[in-house]
């Protein structure tokens, strides 16, 4: 049945005259003169063919888009209904995440009657006026339908105006998710919301509309506690904890802030800071030390735990068991601490995993490798053993027997004391670390030679295995070996020298049987957006300048000389080559050097004859070697430079290494920008990765980003139009994630475990203190928490890596083959001796080594002068990508305003229209996002000075009219760049 009459026609002449403009037609309803179907028509030229010139405009093809006047999206996790004014009692239901086309809406005339269904077990109602020229975000107030409840609810409306339609997105700035099992209350200026413990759906939260643009913070109350300190909800990716004091206890709540898939809602999840998870096969009971209340935990259950004192001790026992409870610490990291029950029950393992927003205590079944030691007595004597912190030794191990041992007192010393004859010794489990946690520790190792204890030479090396030769009495010698088989630490005590030698041979390094080397002189990568006909960025990986190398021994590798020696030799060689010599020349430097006309067979003559050569370090070098039980990798990148190729870029050089001072480099050999060295070994019959050596060296670099570049990169990598079905699937995943139980929240990573014997990463100064000191973000907890225990006050941060040493796999293996030689290079990057813990969630934070008090003071002063009124254009944003200028943040738009005269709108229009380019930025730029430090423009000058030595690798790519990407031509790029520079200068002068 026909519902609407035919509309007025549209001519091809109208289409040609209104390209990229709006044409509107109405189809009148056959039943009512008050209703009509509105069609928005937008003609555009076919982009695939219009680049070809044609004299007759009729030859151009056009694409005609037909749009409804309004698209309504429900971005709430609840159903809503809507009705266009005039449609009496006709409501359409819009499910959560779905969209609806409204064909009869007229801007500045139509009103929508909205209802929010079953929110807090009530229905809510509001009236919304569809208007033109609305701000990006506005609010509409919902009122509870029940007359007894006068509560008001502010719901946000995000509006996007396109040429063809108006998009209205109904959303809440924050979804508050309560997983604590306690009554929560949120308080802000003029806002007070209660969140029941049994309400599983998210609470819709917003600050007052009049304060939406301000630096808003919220306070939390748990049950009967006092209000917490204020904290921000705007920093996406922030993890931390909030404390609320009461007269009985201090409630500690974990807070996690994540971004929704549609970017304009923050999902704020509140969880108990302490959680206990039972993954063992027993029903367990736990109690806080000093408390009589025992809490049962059944299999596969996770419960909140609210400590009432500061002892940080937890008692655990198996239900209906007569065994005394075991006591553990829950305020420190524990990885697979085995609790011994009895021979009937066996044991259970406990893991304590503290993070910035939670501490999860997990009990699991015994597994291979859970015991700290497998103690093997391969002697003819009894061996007594026990925990060193106990007053007496616990047990006796008979000859030719073995025992799995764990600590009698889990809170006591983690050293095993053993006695054989009249000799008493202690041994501790060597602390290896997996992808989740780490501790770098020097380990004592003895060379395998039959020597008296008095003359035994101990050496510190980064090795897992320990071997010692001990005199039990004047007539007997025993050998102690400590090594891994899979995850199990084995301690073998034997009198048999052959067993000792065999064990030693099995763990020493192997020489390579296969070797692959890939070396590239120069690599260039061009990022081109073919839709906009623009080269966005050029990434160049380049080789070194001339390097002089020596080969001290016949079988050794070529090694670069120091920069000072290279400079002298290169100058002498150039002067010598310019004369077109036919005979050798002796150059007197620190020692006599013989130069040859063809550059071959050159050498140092004194004091020893050493071959030298003139070479270069490649841009990219990848080495791989393998043997029966060992693999090694090494990757070296000499220099990498990323250029911003967009015309008129504020920062043409996005990323490049910074040259250290000459006082640092002269006495050191040239170093690559990045050097990664890894040695892996198969651990017996286990599939566990046993990484014997892992070291990364990174030199100092500069990173500068402006919003124009971020927009272009975001457009390059981001799909412009996400299909509606994909948007819906992502929305459903957001809602499903809210229903996760605590067991899922507390789950630890179960991916394959790797054992590390030596792990070291040279830190990155360019991103140090980025979250707080540079970006000024209000973050919860410790944003630097993924690397802990690092020493403070390291000033020469990157100079130590430059002067330090990183071993390649060959050097590492050579050192081991020569009798477990001590490793080279101690204090690379200023991390020597630091006990570091690196979690698998690398993206949660960045490393902070130095805490500059002066900088923090300047930041506090700048915050007092902070500008207000930042616009909401950034709502479609991303994860807060901004310009990192070593110690300041600079924005492209702000600098352009300064250059072009700073129009009256000024800071108020600072972020307008920026939106799409940022991926994951917060819903609105409050003061908690960026502290507009007063030193910003001084920072521009400071950073400009550091790039004086950087040279462009090449001009941007030139595109012909047809937009086809062709092989790069330097002449075209140079000419195009000259024209672009002239256009920019003319534009600036015209605007001024």
């Amino acid at each position: 049945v026909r519902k609407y009459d035919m509309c007025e026609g549209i001519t091809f002449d109208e289409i040609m005259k209104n390209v990229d403009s709006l044409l509107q037609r109405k189809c009148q309803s056959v039943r009512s003169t008050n209703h009509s179907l509105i069609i928005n028509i937008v003609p555009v030229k076919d982009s695939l063919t219009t680049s070809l010139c044609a004299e007759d405009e009729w030859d151009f093809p056009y694409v005609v888009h037909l749009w409804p006047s309004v698209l309504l999206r429900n971005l709430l996790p609840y159903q809503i209904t809507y009705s266009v004014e005039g449609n009496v009692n006709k409501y359409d239901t819009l499910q959560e995440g779905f969209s609806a086309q409204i064909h009869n809406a007229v801007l500045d005339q139509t009103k929508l009657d909205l209802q929010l269904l079953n929110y807090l077990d009530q229905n809510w109602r509001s009236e919304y006026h569809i208007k033109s020229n609305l701000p990006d975000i506005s609010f509409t107030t919902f009122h509870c339908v029940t007359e007894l409840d006068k509560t008001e609810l502010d719901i946000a409306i995000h509006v996007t105006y396109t040429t063809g339609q108006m998009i209205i997105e109904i959303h809440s700035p924050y979804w508050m998710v309560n997983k604590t099992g306690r009554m929560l209350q949120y308080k802000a200026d003029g806002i007070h919301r209660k969140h029941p413990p049994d309400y599983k759906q998210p609470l819709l939260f917003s600050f007052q509309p009049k304060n939406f643009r301000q630096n808003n913070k919220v306070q939390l109350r748990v049950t009967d506690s006092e209000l917490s300190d204020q904290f921000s909800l705007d920093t996406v990716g922030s993890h931390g904890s909030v404390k609320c004091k009461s007269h009985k206890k201090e409630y500690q709540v974990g807070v996690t802030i994540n971004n929704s898939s549609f970017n304009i809602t923050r999902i704020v999840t509140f969880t108990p800071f302490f959680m206990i998870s039972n993954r063992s096969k027993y029903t367990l009971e736990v109690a806080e030390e000093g408390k009589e209340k025992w809490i049962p935990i059944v299999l596969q259950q996770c419960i909140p735990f609210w400590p009432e004192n500061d002892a940080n001790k937890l008692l655990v026992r198996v239900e209906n068991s007569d065994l005394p409870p075991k006591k553990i610490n829950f305020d420190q990291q524990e990885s697979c601490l085995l609790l011994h029950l009895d021979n009937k029950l066996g044991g259970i393992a406990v893991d304590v995993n503290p993070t910035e927003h939670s501490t999860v205590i997990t009990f699991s079944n015994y597994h291979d490798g859970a015991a700290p030691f497998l103690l093997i007595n391969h002697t003819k004597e009894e061996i007594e053993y026990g925990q060193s912190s106990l007053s007496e030794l616990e047990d006796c191990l008979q000859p030719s027997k073995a025992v799995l041992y764990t600590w009698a007192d889990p809170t006591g010393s983690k050293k095993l004391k053993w006695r054989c004859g009249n000799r008493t010794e202690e041994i501790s489990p060597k602390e290896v670390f997996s992808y989740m946690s780490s501790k770098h520790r020097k380990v004592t190792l003895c060379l395998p030679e039959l020597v008296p204890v008095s003359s035994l030479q101990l050496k510190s090396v980064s090795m897992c295995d320990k071997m010692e030769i001990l005199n039990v009495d004047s007539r007997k010698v025993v050998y102690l070996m400590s090594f891994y088989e899979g995850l199990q630490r084995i301690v073998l005590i034997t009198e048999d020298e052959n067993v000792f030698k065999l064990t030693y041979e099995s763990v020493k390094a192997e020489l390579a049987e296969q070797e692959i080397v890939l070396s590239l002189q120069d690599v260039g990568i061009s990022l081109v957006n073919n839709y906009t006909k623009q080269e966005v960025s050029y990434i160049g990986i380049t080789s070194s300048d001339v390097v002089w190398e020596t080969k001290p021994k016949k079988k050794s590798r070529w090694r670069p000389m120091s920069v000072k020696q290279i400079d002298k030799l290169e100058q002498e060689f150039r002067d010598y080559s310019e004369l077109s010599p036919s005979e050798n020349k002796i150059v007197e430097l620190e020692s006599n050097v013989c130069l040859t006309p063809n550059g071959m067979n050159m050498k140092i003559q004194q004091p020893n004859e050493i071959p030298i050569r003139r070479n270069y370090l490649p841009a990219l070098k990848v080495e791989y070697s393998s043997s029966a039980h060992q693999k090694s990798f090494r990757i070296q990148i000499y220099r990498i430079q990323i250029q911003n190729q967009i015309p008129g870029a504020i920062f043409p050089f996005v990323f490049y290494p910074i040259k250290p001072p000459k006082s640092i480099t002269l006495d050191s050999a040239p170093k690559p920008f990045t050097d990664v060295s890894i040695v892996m070994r198969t651990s017996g019959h286990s599939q566990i990765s046993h990484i014997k050596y892992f070291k990364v060296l990174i030199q100092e670099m500069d990173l500068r980003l402006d919003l124009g570049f971020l927009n272009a990169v975001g457009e390059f990598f981001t799909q412009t139009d996400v299909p509606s079905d994909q948007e819906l699937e992502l929305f459903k995943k957001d809602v499903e994630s809210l229903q996760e139980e605590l067991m899922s929240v507390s789950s630890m990573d179960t991916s394959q475990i790797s054992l590390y014997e030596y792990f070291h990463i040279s830190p990155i100064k360019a991103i140090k203190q980025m979250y707080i000191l540079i970006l000024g973000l209000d973050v919860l907890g410790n944003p630097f928490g993924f690397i802990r225990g690092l020493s403070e006050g390291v000033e020469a941060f990157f100079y130590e890596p430059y002067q330090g040493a990183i071993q390649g796999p060959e050097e590492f293996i050579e050192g081991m083959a020569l009798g477990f030689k001590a490793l080279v290079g101690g204090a690379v990057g200023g991390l020597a001796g630091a006990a570091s813990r690196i979690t698998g969630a690398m993206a949660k934070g960045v490393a902070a080594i130095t805490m500059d008090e002066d900088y923090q003071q300047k930041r506090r002063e700048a915050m007092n002068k902070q500008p207000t009124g930042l616009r909401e254009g950034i709502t479609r944003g991303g994860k807060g990508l901004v310009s990192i200028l070593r110690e300041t943040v600079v924005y492209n738009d702000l600098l352009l305003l300064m250059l072009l005269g700073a129009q009256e709108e000024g800071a108020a229009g600072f972020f307008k229209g920026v939106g799409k380019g940022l991926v994951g930025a917060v819903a609105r730029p409050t003061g908690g996002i960026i502290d507009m430090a007063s030193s910003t423009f001084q920072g521009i000058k400071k950073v400009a000075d550091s790039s004086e030595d950087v040279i462009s690798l090449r001009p941007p790519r030139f595109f012909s009219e047809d937009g086809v990407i062709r092989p790069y031509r330097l002449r075209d790029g140079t000419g195009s760049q000259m024209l672009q520079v002239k256009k920019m200068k003319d534009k600036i002068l015209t605007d001024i």
Side-chain angles (χ1 to χ4, degrees):
V1 179
R2 183 165 59 92
K3 296 182 179 180
Y4 297 95
D5 291 328
M6 187 175 294
C7 70
E8 179 187 351
I10 182 171
T11 67
F12 196 67
D13 187 55
E14 283 183 281
I15 290 177
M16 290 193 300
K17 292 179 179 179
N18 293 278
V19 174
D20 297 326
S21 299
L22 175 63
L23 297 171
Q24 196 172 79
R25 293 292 185 269
K26 293 183 180 180
C27 298
Q28 196 65 39
S29 172
V30 297
R31 297 182 179 178
S32 171
T33 58
N34 297 327
H35 299 287
S36 59
L37 176 68
I38 300 174
I39 301 175
N40 287 346
I41 304 169
V42 182
V44 296
K45 290 184 178 181
D46 188 342
S47 60
L48 294 179
T49 57
T50 52
S51 60
L52 300 175
C53 298
E55 296 179 0
D56 191 348
E57 290 188 0
W58 290 92
D59 290 339
F60 281 121
Y62 294 86
V63 178
V64 180
H65 295 278
L66 306 181
W67 301 97
S69 55
V70 170
L71 180 68
L72 182 66
R73 294 189 67 193
N74 177 15
L75 296 180
L76 297 174
Y78 300 93
Q79 288 184 5
I80 65 171
T81 62
Y82 68 94
S83 175
V84 178
E85 184 184 40
N87 291 355
V88 182
N89 296 326
K90 183 184 178 183
Y91 283 87
D92 294 308
T93 301
L94 193 55
Q95 300 289 341
E96 48 266 46
F98 280 78
S99 302
Q101 297 178 351
I102 303 178
H103 296 275
N104 54 349
V106 180
L107 268 64
D108 298 318
Q109 296 182 26
T110 302
K111 297 179 182 178
L112 291 179
D113 187 2
L114 301 173
Q115 287 194 26
L116 174 61
L117 305 181
N118 199 29
Y119 172 63
L120 293 176
D121 300 323
Q122 300 284 346
N123 291 342
W124 306 71
R125 195 168 197 168
S126 177
E127 187 179 76
Y128 181 73
H129 296 248
I130 298 177
K131 297 180 180 180
S132 57
N133 300 319
L134 287 171
D136 293 340
I137 288 184
S138 59
F139 285 84
T140 184
T141 302
F142 281 74
H143 300 271
C144 187
V145 174
T146 306
E147 294 183 1
L148 298 177
D149 193 342
K150 301 297 183 182
T151 305
E152 294 183 347
L153 178 65
D154 293 321
I155 295 296
I157 308 290
H158 181 264
V159 175
T160 304
Y161 296 98
T162 66
T163 306
Q165 67 177 345
M166 176 184 179
I167 302 174
I168 301 174
E169 296 174 315
I170 302 174
H171 72 283
S172 175
Y174 308 97
W175 293 357
M176 312 294 258
V177 184
N178 182 4
K179 296 182 182 293
T180 63
R182 301 268 178 169
M183 170 66 79
L184 299 183
Q185 298 182 55
Y186 315 115
K187 189 177 184 303
D189 187 16
I191 300 292
H192 187 196
R193 297 282 184 264
K194 292 185 178 180
H195 200 161
D198 56 348
Y199 192 70
K200 302 302 182 183
Q201 292 292 99
L203 186 88
L204 306 179
F205 183 82
S206 174
F207 297 101
Q208 284 189 328
K210 65 179 182 180
N211 298 328
F212 186 67
R213 295 172 176 82
Q214 307 303 318
N215 183 11
N216 294 308
K217 296 186 179 182
V218 70
Q219 291 176 289
L220 178 69
R221 174 179 283 133
V222 182
T223 314
D224 57 348
S225 75
E226 300 173 4
L227 287 171
S228 70
D229 293 336
Q230 294 184 341
F231 58 96
S232 173
L233 301 177
D234 286 324
T235 310
V236 175
S238 175
H239 299 70
S241 64
V242 176
K243 294 182 179 180
C244 304
K245 295 181 180 179
S246 73
H247 63 283
K248 291 183 179 180
K249 65 179 73 173
E250 182 179 70
Y251 293 98
Q252 194 168 359
V253 178
V255 184
T256 303
I257 305 172
N258 290 317
N259 208 14
S260 62
S261 61
F262 48 93
N263 291 327
I264 52 179
T265 292
R266 303 288 165 266
I267 302 175
V268 185
T269 305
F270 297 89
T271 57
F273 185 81
F274 293 99
M275 292 177 279
I276 303 177
S277 174
N278 182 12
R279 298 177 184 275
S280 74
K281 59 186 177 182
Y282 305 111
T283 297
L284 303 178
E285 295 179 332
V286 296
E288 189 175 4
E289 187 181 38
K291 302 293 179 181
E292 297 180 356
K293 183 180 179 181
W294 287 87
I295 307 170
I297 317 176
V298 299
L299 175 63
Q300 295 300 317
Q301 183 185 16
C302 181
I303 63 169
F305 176 55
W306 306 96
E308 296 185 18
N309 57 49
D310 297 330
N312 296 319
K313 298 284 195 300
L314 183 71
L315 302 177
V316 57
R317 69 187 183 189
V318 177
E319 187 182 48
N320 300 325
S321 170
D322 296 330
L323 292 174
K326 294 291 183 179
K327 181 169 60 176
I328 63 170
N329 296 312
F330 60 81
D331 61 338
Q332 61 191 32
Q333 175 86 24
E334 291 287 359
S335 180
C336 191
L337 174 62
L338 185 63
L339 306 181
H340 177 226
L341 302 177
D342 59 15
N343 290 334
K344 179 181 178 182
L345 297 175
I348 55 175
V350 59
D351 292 89
V352 181
N353 185 31
T355 63
E356 289 73 43
H357 65 287
S358 68
T359 293
V360 181
I361 306 162
T362 304
F363 296 98
S364 56
N365 294 320
Y366 170 82
H367 58 82
D368 290 342
F373 297 102
L374 171 58
L375 186 61
I376 302 176
N377 182 1
H378 192 250
T379 70
K380 297 177 182 178
E381 304 287 335
E382 291 183 348
I383 296 177
E384 297 177 89
Y385 62 91
Q387 194 169 358
S388 64
S389 57
L390 301 181
S391 57
E392 296 182 356
L393 296 177
E394 302 167 44
D395 210 338
C396 182
L397 184 61
Q398 298 298 320
S400 303
K401 298 292 183 181
V403 63
L404 287 168
Y405 176 80
T406 190
W407 314 112
D409 178 12
T411 62
S413 165
K414 298 298 189 293
K415 289 186 177 181
L416 177 67
K417 181 187 290 185
W418 61 277
R419 181 186 298 136
C420 183
N422 58 7
R423 184 67 179 255
T424 301
E425 292 288 333
E426 289 184 359
I427 185 171
S428 62
K430 304 303 177 289
E431 294 172 337
V432 298
F433 53 93
S434 69
Y435 60 93
M436 292 176 54
S437 61
S438 66
K439 286 192 175 180
H440 171 63
R441 192 156 189 168
K442 300 292 184 181
V443 182
T444 302
L445 176 71
C446 294
L447 297 179
E449 298 176 4
L450 290 174
V451 295
V453 174
S454 58
S455 62
L456 196 62
Q457 300 296 316
L458 302 182
K459 297 188 177 183
S460 293
V461 299
S462 296
M463 294 288 295
C464 227
D465 307 288
K466 179 175 180 179
M467 300 184 179
E468 289 190 3
I469 306 166
L470 303 169
N471 286 343
V472 176
D473 53 39
S474 58
R475 296 170 297 174
K476 185 176 294 184
V477 174
V478 297
Y479 305 88
L480 182 143
M481 286 153 287
S482 179
F483 54 92
Y484 273 104
E485 176 67 19
L487 282 175
Q488 183 61 61
R489 164 69 68 180
I490 298 175
V491 177
L492 172 64
I493 303 174
T494 182
E495 298 171 336
D496 192 333
E497 183 181 354
N498 292 327
V499 172
F500 173 76
K501 290 182 177 180
L502 183 63
T503 306
Y504 166 70
E505 290 293 328
S506 67
V507 299
K508 77 174 185 180
E510 300 173 336
L511 297 180
E513 297 174 356
Q514 183 183 36
E515 207 168 28
I516 301 173
V517 178
L518 172 65
S519 181
L520 300 177
Q521 183 172 350
D522 289 295
V523 179
I525 302 172
S526 175
L527 300 185
V528 175
N529 188 332
N530 56 308
Y531 292 105
T532 60
K533 301 177 185 178
Q534 184 180 70
E535 184 176 56
V536 176
S537 178
Y538 181 74
I539 304 170
I541 304 176
T542 56
S543 57
S544 70
D545 295 330
V546 173
V547 172
W548 287 79
E549 297 175 320
T550 64
K551 192 176 182 182
K553 300 178 181 178
K554 290 184 179 180
K555 294 184 180 181
S556 66
R557 289 169 299 280
W558 288 95
R559 302 178 187 276
M561 303 171 72
S562 70
V563 173
K564 183 192 297 183
Q565 295 170 326
I566 290 173
D567 290 344
K568 289 181 179 179
L569 267 177
E570 181 62 17
Q571 186 61 48
E572 290 287 346
F573 184 80
R574 288 183 179 179
D575 294 342
Y576 168 63
S577 300
E578 287 177 357
L579 302 175
S580 300
S582 59
E583 297 182 356
N584 295 353
K585 179 182 178 182
I586 305 299
V587 178
E588 295 183 3
L589 297 176
E590 297 176 0
S591 56
N592 291 343
V593 177
C594 177
L595 304 180
T596 60
N598 60 1
M600 305 295 291
N601 299 320
M602 296 185 290
K603 55 190 173 183
I604 296 174
Q605 293 183 329
Q606 296 176 352
N608 297 316
E609 191 172 284
I610 301 174
I612 63 173
R613 71 177 181 181
R614 191 170 179 262
N615 198 16
Y616 69 92
L617 301 181
L620 176 65
K621 187 176 183 180
V622 180
E623 300 174 80
Y624 168 80
S625 63
S626 64
S627 60
H629 302 94
Q630 196 161 275
K631 296 179 181 179
S632 64
F633 305 86
R634 188 172 191 181
I635 301 174
Q636 293 175 296
I637 298 176
Y638 186 79
R639 178 185 172 86
I640 182 170
Q641 180 172 314
I642 303 176
Q643 294 184 187
N644 181 352
Q645 301 290 75
I646 301 173
I650 301 301
F651 306 120
F653 305 112
V654 176
F655 182 95
Y656 56 90
I658 293 177
K659 291 182 179 179
K662 289 186 178 181
S663 59
I664 300 296
T665 61
L666 284 179
D667 295 326
S668 303
K671 296 287 197 307
F673 167 68
T674 301
D675 197 341
V676 181
S677 183
I678 304 171
V679 178
M680 302 173 61
R681 183 179 178 87
T682 304
S683 301
H685 303 291
S686 172
Q687 296 300 314
I688 295 169
S689 298
H690 194 166
I691 299 176
K692 303 185 73 65
Y693 183 78
F694 186 108
K695 196 166 185 178
V696 179
L697 176 127
I698 304 173
Q699 303 299 338
E700 186 177 5
M701 81 290 292
D702 206 343
L703 175 63
R704 313 183 195 182
L705 304 170
D706 60 55
L707 293 182
F709 180 75
L710 291 176
N711 283 332
V713 172
E715 187 177 348
F716 181 86
F717 287 104
T718 305
Q719 188 174 351
T720 53
D721 296 320
V722 179
S724 57
D725 57 343
Q726 186 176 341
E727 288 182 341
L728 182 59
E729 286 300 318
L730 293 173
F731 185 90
K732 288 181 178 179
K733 288 182 180 179
D734 287 341
V735 176
E736 290 171 0
S737 68
L738 307 179
Q739 308 304 323
E740 287 184 350
E741 298 296 330
L742 281 183
M743 179 60 78
S744 300
V745 174
S746 64
S747 295
M748 294 187 299
D749 197 332
T750 57
S751 56
Q752 182 175 335
I753 295 175
S754 297
L755 297 178
Y756 289 78
E757 295 184 8
Y758 184 93
F759 186 97
H760 192 112
I761 296 181
S762 166
I764 304 174
K765 185 175 181 180
I767 61 173
K768 74 164 187 176
Q769 305 171 13
M770 180 177 68
Y771 270 20
I772 288 183
L773 299 186
I774 299 178
L775 303 186
L777 298 184
D778 286 312
V779 292
L780 293 157
N782 175 15
F784 323 119
F786 84 107
I787 296 183
R788 300 183 175 189
L790 302 176
S791 59
E792 298 182 358
V794 182
E795 296 296 333
F797 204 68
F798 271 88
Y799 303 152
E800 288 187 33
Y802 196 92
Q803 293 174 317
I806 180 169
Q807 289 185 305
E810 291 183 346
E811 290 97 326
F812 178 75
I813 293 170
E814 279 181 359
M816 295 174 61
L818 295 173
F820 294 97
K821 191 177 179 181
L823 294 181
V824 181
V828 177
L831 277 179
S836 60
R837 173 184 173 272
I838 300 180
T839 71
M842 286 295 215
K844 288 182 182 177
V846 292
I849 306 301
T850 63
M851 301 297 292
D852 190 340
E853 289 294 335
D854 292 337
Y855 193 99
Q856 294 184 55
Q857 180 61 32
K858 290 178 183 177
R859 174 181 176 269
R860 286 190 287 267
E861 294 171 359
M863 287 176 67
N864 295 329
K865 304 175 185 178
Q866 179 178 348
T868 59
L870 301 180
R871 297 291 294 273
E872 279 73 37
I874 203 171
T875 55
R876 299 294 292 177
K879 295 181 180 177
L881 293 175
V882 294
S883 174
I884 303 168
L885 303 180
R886 300 171 75 181
E887 290 185 356
T888 187
V889 178
V890 179
Y891 289 95
N892 182 20
D893 290 347
L894 183 59
L895 190 53
L896 281 178
L897 283 175
M898 181 183 70
L899 293 174
L900 301 177
Q903 301 169 1
E904 291 183 5
E905 194 177 13
F910 195 66
F911 286 96
K912 188 174 182 181
V914 169
K916 283 188 179 179
L918 298 178
V919 181
V922 292
R924 49 187 182 76
T926 66
I929 299 171
I930 299 161
D931 287 333
M932 298 290 296
S934 59
S935 59
T936 296
F937 293 106
Q938 286 82 354
I940 297 175
K941 180 179 179 181
K942 175 182 177 181
V943 174
D945 294 339
S946 68
S947 64
E948 290 177 352
D949 295 333
V950 184
I951 300 174
S952 175
L953 297 176
R954 67 162 177 76
R957 182 184 298 272
F958 170 73
F959 286 87
S960 301
E961 186 66 26
D962 57 11
V964 176
I965 301 175
R966 293 180 171 86
Y968 182 81
R969 291 184 62 189
L970 179 60
R971 179 179 178 180
D972 293 345
T974 305
S976 175
Q977 186 180 46
M978 293 172 64
L979 292 175
Q980 290 287 353
V981 170
K982 186 177 185 305
K983 288 180 182 178
M984 283 296 298
K985 289 181 179 179
D986 292 344
K987 182 180 184 301
I988 293 175
L989 292 174
T990 302
D991 291 339
I992 292 176

